[in-house]
Amino acid sequence: MAPKADASKKADPKAQAAKAAKAVKSGPTFNRKAKKIRTKVTFHRPRTLKKERNPKYPRISAPPRNKLDHYQILKFPLTTESAMKKIEDNNTLVFIVDLRADKKKIKAAVKKMYDIQAKKVNTLIRARWNQEGLCQVDSRL
Amino acid sequence: MARIKVHELRQKSKAELLNQLKDLKAELALLRVAKVTGGAPNKLSKIKVVRLSIAQVLTVISQTQKSVLREAYKNKKFLPLDLRPKKTRAIRRRLTKHQQSLKTEREKKREMYFPKRKYAIKV
């Protein structure tokens, strides 16, 4: 056994040495996947997973009611002399309208409340808290 | 129109309440037009009544909605933020009673083995 051991010992270290030399030449195996070559100077965040919202509880218990409904938009019609003139001459109605209303909403509100199809709506802000909406009505009416 | 009684309102369903709200708002719109075009005084005085009744209907709607939501969330772990107790910001950030009462094992053992003794002096 002694000589065999000797022989194996002799063979082993030689084999080991050869293996070691090979490893050193080829580099450690876990670096085998080549180092990424970067051709640009900047580093941009790689695309990562984006999950959709899935809340465990709604932040507000119920959605708030719409506070700008038709009744709130059209406050009342104007009946000044100049407004009356507009009714006769230009076929338009003049309303005092909520400040937060836009022309589209005014058109829809007039349609809903008075069944009038407005051809064109002009608006102007009268004071910091109210707005005047001039609705031009269809000439047929 | 008769004066609205709130306890009658509370028995109505949500759809009925919303309908009533719509009617009231339409009436208010008419009254406002009358105000501008020089209406009769009995109409003008009605504006206040109608505005109040609109407020009452809206209050009933939101109160019943809130109470139903609280029922729905009763045994859930997480409540929506407006159903949680409001108190003050500082109070909400304090440790809860349970968190304050927590003790380490060491402390518990100590209290168990060496409780505070009370002695009385016999005269």
Side-chain angles (χ1 to χ4, degrees):
Chain A
M1 225 171 60
K4 202 174 180 185
D6 262 351
S8 60
K9 262 199 205 161
K10 258 197 191 164
D12 269 351
K14 212 174 178 187
Q16 274 183 357
K19 234 188 184 176
K22 196 172 173 203
V24 165
K25 262 197 205 162
S26 58
T29 42
F30 57 86
N31 250 359
R32 241 313 162 72
K33 245 186 258 173
K35 216 173 173 188
K36 225 179 190 176
I37 302 176
R38 295 190 184 275
T39 53
K40 288 185 252 187
V41 189
T42 50
F43 177 78
H44 291 295
R45 173 175 54 79
R47 287 245 174 95
T48 53
L49 175 64
K50 276 192 185 158
K51 281 172 122 177
E52 271 200 23
R53 280 198 189 204
N54 186 17
K56 288 192 177 147
Y57 61 94
R59 294 311 181 252
I60 307 181
S61 53
R65 67 185 174 95
N66 177 24
K67 297 218 174 123
L68 196 63
D69 52 1
H70 308 280
Y71 300 104
Q72 178 70 14
I73 291 180
L74 293 179
K75 297 201 172 166
F76 47 88
L78 258 195
T79 53
T80 58
E81 280 186 14
S82 56
M84 289 290 127
K85 206 159 175 238
K86 273 209 143 32
I87 292 182
E88 296 166 20
D89 301 344
N90 306 21
N91 226 359
T92 64
L93 295 171
V94 186
F95 291 97
I96 296 293
V97 141
D98 192 289
L99 194 60
R100 294 168 290 173
D102 48 4
K103 288 185 182 178
K104 289 184 182 171
K105 287 209 174 99
I106 297 174
K107 212 171 183 175
V110 161
K111 175 134 190 159
K112 182 133 190 257
M113 285 186 63
Y114 300 111
D115 242 350
I116 298 173
Q117 180 76 19
K119 197 160 92 175
K120 182 172 165 214
V121 177
N122 290 339
T123 58
L124 61 100
I125 295 190
R126 284 174 85 207
R128 274 287 146 228
W129 61 88
N130 59 15
Q131 186 182 29
E132 193 176 307
L134 294 99
C135 296
Q136 190 177 0
V137 172
D138 229 324
S139 51
R140 280 184 244 133
L141 292 171
Chain B
M1 208 169 72
R3 235 196 89 187
I4 286 195
K5 301 228 169 122
V6 179
H7 66 92
E8 286 170 18
L9 284 179
R10 288 193 199 278
Q11 291 156 7
K12 294 194 178 179
S13 73
K14 188 160 180 195
E16 285 178 15
L17 284 173
L18 286 174
N19 264 331
Q20 184 155 22
L21 191 63
K22 224 166 57 164
D23 295 335
L24 285 171
K25 284 199 176 177
E27 194 177 337
L28 186 62
L30 286 173
L31 291 173
R32 287 231 163 93
V33 173
K35 180 173 168 200
V36 174
T37 58
N42 66 343
K43 275 196 182 171
L44 297 180
S45 62
K46 231 179 154 206
I47 282 190
K48 182 175 177 182
V49 174
V50 174
R51 282 176 68 217
L52 273 177
S53 28
I54 289 179
Q56 284 164 342
V57 172
L58 282 172
T59 305
V60 168
I61 290 178
S62 73
Q63 277 177 348
T64 48
Q65 190 181 44
K66 258 285 162 73
S67 66
V68 166
L69 281 167
R70 278 188 203 276
E71 277 294 322
Y73 280 103
K74 200 144 200 201
N75 292 328
K76 301 260 178 82
K77 194 168 166 201
F78 294 118
L79 290 175
L81 300 177
D82 52 342
L83 295 185
R84 299 191 191 184
K86 171 95 179 169
K87 302 211 169 172
T88 72
R89 193 165 197 248
I91 292 180
R92 278 178 273 151
R93 277 153 186 64
R94 289 200 294 228
L95 289 174
T96 66
K97 268 236 157 110
H98 176 250
Q99 286 166 346
Q100 277 172 355
S101 70
L102 288 175
K103 299 189 170 145
T104 56
E105 275 292 319
R106 189 166 192 252
E107 211 173 336
K108 280 192 226 166
K109 281 186 184 169
R110 245 200 189 153
E111 284 186 356
M112 189 160 57
Y113 294 128
F114 306 113
K116 200 148 189 121
R117 311 301 308 275
K118 265 193 178 171
Y119 299 103
I121 296 182
K122 195 172 175 185
V123 176

